[in-house]
Amino acid sequence: MKSVRLVVVVEAMLAVWLLPVNSDRILAIFPSPAKSHQIVFRAFVDGLLARGHQLTVMSPDPFETDNPNITQIDWSYGYKVVNEIGDVAKVTQEGWSAFRVITKLLSVAERLVEVELAHPEVQAMIRNPVEQFDAVVVEYFMMPPFHAFAELYNAPLIGITSIDSVAYAHDIVGNVANIMTHPEMIHSFSRDLCFWQRILAFATRIVSDYYMFPMSFKKMDEIIEFNFGTNMSKSNELMNRLDFLMTNVEPALGFIRPTVPQAIQLGFLHVKPPNPLPKGLQRYLDSSEHGVIYFSFGTLIRTQSLHTENVRILLETFKTLKYDVLWKVDERIDLSNATNVKVVRWVPQQDVLVNSNSTRSTKLDKEKSECESPAKGNVACDTHICVSTV
């Protein structure tokens, strides 16, 4: 019965061209306070809604909608929790070890689980589980208390990630997770590992699987018992009851690995047709003589967390370039006479990259016609393409 219900996952992916199907009730749990991650989950939710399914969604990024088939539980206060106890910029600039990164991630996860489960509407669902769900979709990280909802409602557990998943999850569904060819994302290396990098990758996997995760599970078990009672399964059992795994991975750009039928790679699920840019932004791209470099640290690294010296180095580097720079920041920055740099708080990233592509194509056509020879022209023009589409 569980495998039959999992068809709703495929329906979301094929929502554009398939005929309507029977409506299912789905509980979707997306705990991470990270806008770039939530964009992927929003696309997944939109696909399910387009198919007529009924959703209850727990998320730190609720959105306005008049669709009667969705009920949202607002976890937006999760951003405050992460801002107080987690700082990705600090981790990067101080060069933390993989073990220290894992420890920090697990401690943030524990705190996040506690405060999000404490939401009154979530508590009401736990205390009085009268609703029936055909599937429970959970952002798959080391947060087993959220998996308890699948057991609570006796529904299939579907994992989803906004990036590739940890090796722990791949092992559970049966995917190959060779630590030498698929090192965890917390490392600074990803391929062509030298001998010492292989040793570090292996040691990290052993220590995390047999020490760090079990230690975290002890804390998670306390949270599970406090919220769901003593009859609920423990963390290890809840993590292993995964029925299906979806990772937002494009095989052509990530690791190549064989996958079992219980796992699929979504690949650019969140990419949509481009929209016109705001006039001011379009004017900036069009008026650039040599092209524009788009520069962004994403949504997890806050500008105020960057060391002053690092900001100075970036600006000094930008000033030496002939290209203009569009820099997405979340705080005011003293540009120090960097006249070729424009800072903005938010950028429709996909639209900028698509529009800048079409904008520079006309200029490149002219540049290519001026190349003195095919060999010289290819090198010069291809370099320009690489730089101007960052």
Side-chain angles (χ1 to χ4, degrees):
M1 184 62 179
K2 287 184 178 180
S3 60
V4 174
R5 291 175 180 174
L6 291 178
V7 74
V8 299
V9 178
V10 180
E11 293 168 2
M13 250 55 67
L14 304 178
V16 179
W17 60 84
L18 289 184
L19 296 175
V21 297
N22 294 331
S23 173
D24 287 292
R25 295 182 58 82
I26 302 168
L27 174 60
I29 305 173
F30 308 130
S32 293
K35 292 186 181 299
S36 54
H37 292 234
Q38 293 296 329
I39 288 173
V40 176
F41 304 139
R42 170 67 186 278
F44 179 74
V45 167
D46 287 344
L48 291 174
L49 290 174
R51 298 288 291 140
H53 296 295
Q54 300 180 52
L55 274 67
T56 297
V57 180
M58 304 177 184
S59 167
D61 282 274
F63 57 92
E64 293 185 8
T65 177
D66 55 3
N67 193 316
N69 287 342
I70 182 172
T71 300
Q72 301 185 79
I73 295 178
D74 186 354
W75 276 345
S76 56
Y77 53 81
Y79 280 100
K80 182 179 180 181
V81 174
V82 170
N83 288 341
E84 290 175 349
I85 63 176
D87 192 332
V88 179
K90 181 178 181 180
V91 172
T92 303
Q93 293 176 119
E94 294 182 3
W96 286 16
S97 68
F99 301 109
R100 190 178 178 187
V101 172
I102 294 175
T103 302
K104 185 63 175 180
L105 286 174
L106 292 176
S107 66
V108 172
E110 291 165 6
R111 179 58 183 155
L112 201 58
V113 169
E114 286 182 321
V115 299
E116 290 181 336
L117 283 179
H119 192 290
E121 294 180 52
V122 177
Q123 286 295 309
M125 293 180 64
I126 296 173
R127 303 305 176 198
N128 189 27
V130 294
E131 294 186 77
Q132 295 295 320
F133 291 103
D134 298 297
V136 175
V137 181
V138 179
E139 179 184 0
Y140 201 91
F141 186 60
M142 311 309 286
M143 302 183 187
F146 294 129
H147 300 192
F149 283 95
E151 185 168 313
L152 180 68
Y153 291 105
N154 190 30
L157 176 63
I158 303 172
I160 184 172
T161 64
S162 56
I163 50 179
D164 199 1
S165 185
V166 293
Y168 191 99
H170 284 296
D171 277 343
I172 288 174
V173 295
N175 283 341
V176 173
N178 186 324
I179 199 63
M180 302 306 169
T181 54
H182 311 124
E184 297 282 25
M185 63 190 76
I186 56 174
H187 293 298
S188 59
F189 47 82
S190 61
R191 59 187 73 242
D192 299 328
L193 277 60
C194 69
F195 176 76
W196 291 112
Q197 289 172 334
R198 290 171 179 244
I199 294 294
L200 178 58
F202 177 76
T204 302
R205 181 72 190 277
I206 294 298
V207 173
S208 60
D209 282 7
Y210 294 98
Y211 176 71
M212 291 182 171
F213 291 164
M215 289 295 292
S216 177
F217 284 171
K218 289 183 179 180
K219 173 62 176 177
M220 293 297 188
D221 286 343
E222 296 175 3
I223 297 174
I224 291 170
E225 183 173 339
F226 178 80
N227 288 277
F228 293 91
T230 57
N231 293 329
M232 182 61 65
S233 296
K234 303 300 183 183
S235 294
N236 188 59
E237 288 84 1
L238 292 172
M239 292 292 290
N240 280 275
R241 81 185 307 276
L242 183 66
D243 294 291
F244 198 80
L245 178 66
M246 300 179 293
T247 56
N248 188 40
V249 174
E250 169 51 51
L253 300 179
F255 293 132
I256 296 178
R257 71 164 87 231
T259 56
V260 297
Q262 288 77 26
I264 60 173
Q265 297 172 314
L266 304 178
F268 301 139
L269 176 68
H270 59 292
V271 176
K272 299 180 179 180
N275 293 312
L277 289 175
K279 291 183 178 179
L281 199 52
Q282 187 66 63
R283 191 180 306 114
Y284 181 74
L285 297 177
D286 292 342
S287 62
S288 177
E289 181 179 357
H290 299 288
V292 176
I293 295 175
Y294 172 62
F295 186 73
S296 171
F297 284 114
T299 58
L300 287 178
I301 295 182
R302 301 188 298 277
T303 308
Q304 64 180 4
S305 300
L306 298 177
H307 294 168
T308 304
E309 177 61 12
N310 288 337
V311 174
R312 186 193 68 78
I313 292 173
L314 285 171
L315 288 173
E316 290 300 317
T317 301
F318 291 155
K319 286 195 292 187
T320 65
L321 304 175
K322 68 176 182 179
Y323 306 104
D324 294 312
V325 178
L326 180 65
W327 186 359
K328 189 193 82 66
V329 300
D330 50 49
E331 297 288 338
R332 291 180 61 86
I333 288 182
D334 180 7
L335 295 180
S336 302
N337 298 319
T339 56
N340 63 327
V341 179
K342 178 181 178 65
V343 295
V344 288
R345 286 184 174 272
W346 178 251
V347 173
Q349 182 166 294
Q350 294 178 26
D351 299 332
V352 162
L353 295 178
V354 171
N355 278 276
S356 61
N357 244 350
S358 60
T359 298
R360 63 150 172 86
S361 63
T362 302
K363 297 178 180 179
L364 287 176
D365 288 341
K366 182 176 183 296
E367 289 182 16
K368 287 180 179 179
S369 67
E370 295 173 350
C371 294
E372 295 180 4
S373 67
K376 181 179 178 182
N378 287 338
V379 173
C381 295
D382 286 350
T383 302
H384 185 90
I385 291 173
C386 293
V387 174
S388 62
T389 57
V390 170

